[in-house]
Every structure is written in C-alpha cells, then in structure tokens.
Amino acid sequence: MFTVNYYIINLQMVLMMGEYNHYGKLCTRIMELDKTFLVDKEPLAVLNDTINYIDFDLKGAQPETKLIKENVNICPILGNPLHSICAFPSQAYKSDDTIWFNPIHIVKTSAHGRHTLVDLSNGYSIEVHSRLSSFNQKWQNAQFLRRMTTKREKSPFTLIVDQKKKNLLKKDSSGRYNFEIFLRK
C-alpha cells in the first residue's frame, strides 16, 4: 500500500473514505477501478483540492447543489463539473467514517439486514451502515445532479421550474390525462 501527498478526483475513483494512518492522522483511502492507496489529507481536503483545481471552492459547491436540488439533507458534491464527476457521502460529510461514492461506479444496491450492500463497477461490494432507502435516495440525488450539470454543459440555458409550484396531471372521468391545462396558460 502506498501513500501520495496530493490527489485530484477523476473518473477512475470508485469511492473514498477516511482512514487513520499508523501515526493516528486522518487520511483518505482512495479506491480506483484497479488500485487502492492513501492520500495524506482528510477526505474533505481532497474534495476541496479537486474543486479548487478547477477554480471553484467547497463552500460554493454546496449551495450550488442545493439550488439544483433544494430538498436534500446530505448533498452530493460536484467534484469536477468539467467531467461531470460527482461524489456523495454515505452519511454526514463531516464524520470521519463517511464513505464518498462516485455514483457512476455503483452497479446496484440491495438490503443486507439493516444495512446496504453496494455492488461496485470494479467487481467489489461494500456494506454501508445505512438503510437501503436512505442510501438509494442519496444515490438518486447524485445522479440527478450529474444529469443537470451535463444538460447545462450541452445547453448553457437550463430552465428549472419552481419546485414548490407543481401542476398535477390527473385522469379525468373518461380515464384520460387532461393535458389541456397547458393550453390555458
């Protein structure tokens, strides 16, 4: 196992998590597709380095995520919007044992007792101390963030409708959905 001093999150990163080295210092365990290693920095520092690398900052990335998907408790972070690299935490992001997942490397999830078993694209699985529904909601939020940023890249003008004002389409008495409400606007 080797240690590096600096790391920028890339498409190869499957997950990262806090791990104490033999001196008792919190470092970051990185799992890429074909290797694993330690970075001599805390997980939030690795995230911050990655975001700073493209001229953004961690404090700005969190509110941006909330603008896109406002009703989330634990936000995914867009690590590198240029490559649509996103990471989301398995629990509160300031916790030492939080696992940060890259959503593109999650193949499937399943219940494993009161925990979640996450199958990864590199053939490994990891048990996460989170209920399946909770984990899947975080994964879904991260995928949504990636989709929205990808759409922004392709079209710089993205219309986001106010989420508080919802128009509900219902079946009428004939059993058909009434799409004529669009004509009234």
Side-chain angles (χ1 to χ4, degrees):
M1 206 64 55
F2 61 96
T3 302
V4 297
N5 293 324
Y6 189 75
Y7 181 77
I8 298 297
I9 295 172
N10 58 56
L11 291 170
Q12 300 287 312
M13 189 206 71
V14 175
L15 62 82
M16 68 179 192
M17 60 199 309
E19 183 178 311
Y20 290 94
N21 68 9
H22 55 279
Y23 296 114
K25 179 183 177 190
L26 181 61
C27 296
T28 303
R29 166 73 54 201
I30 302 284
M31 176 190 275
E32 288 191 342
L33 286 172
D34 59 349
K35 63 186 170 204
T36 179
F37 53 91
L38 276 179
V39 179
D40 195 21
K41 293 185 177 195
E42 295 181 10
L44 285 178
V46 171
L47 270 173
N48 199 41
D49 286 350
T50 301
I51 294 169
N52 285 336
Y53 181 75
I54 53 167
D55 277 345
F56 289 99
D57 67 349
L58 188 56
K59 288 182 181 179
Q62 291 167 322
E64 179 184 337
T65 300
K66 286 212 182 252
L67 277 175
I68 294 170
K69 183 112 174 122
E70 65 181 46
N71 60 344
V72 291
N73 293 329
I74 298 178
C75 287
I77 300 292
L78 199 59
N80 186 337
L82 301 175
H83 297 110
S84 297
I85 298 172
C86 183
F88 71 94
S90 61
Q91 57 192 23
Y93 69 92
K94 290 185 178 181
S95 177
D96 290 351
D97 57 347
T98 296
I99 304 170
W100 289 85
F101 289 92
N102 184 344
I104 65 171
H105 290 294
I106 297 175
V107 176
K108 73 173 191 172
T109 58
S110 56
H112 194 251
R114 296 177 65 128
H115 302 141
T116 302
L117 189 65
V118 181
D119 293 339
L120 305 168
S121 64
N122 61 356
Y124 289 90
S125 297
I126 186 168
E127 183 179 329
V128 179
H129 292 265
S130 175
R131 292 189 184 272
L132 179 64
S133 60
S134 174
F135 184 87
N136 283 345
Q137 183 64 49
K138 295 169 196 165
W139 181 25
Q140 196 173 37
N141 288 338
Q143 290 172 319
F144 178 81
L145 177 64
R146 283 192 74 245
R147 275 194 311 275
M148 290 303 295
T149 53
T150 303
K151 283 182 185 179
R152 275 196 211 162
E153 288 173 11
K154 292 178 182 170
S155 171
F157 299 104
T158 302
L159 176 65
I160 300 177
V161 179
D162 183 8
Q163 295 292 323
K164 293 174 187 157
K165 182 183 176 192
K166 296 190 189 283
N167 295 312
L168 180 63
L169 296 171
K170 292 183 179 181
K171 288 185 178 180
D172 59 16
S173 58
S174 67
R176 300 170 75 195
Y177 285 97
N178 183 7
F179 288 102
E180 293 175 13
I181 62 169
F182 288 105
L183 301 175
R184 291 186 223 145
K185 289 186 175 183

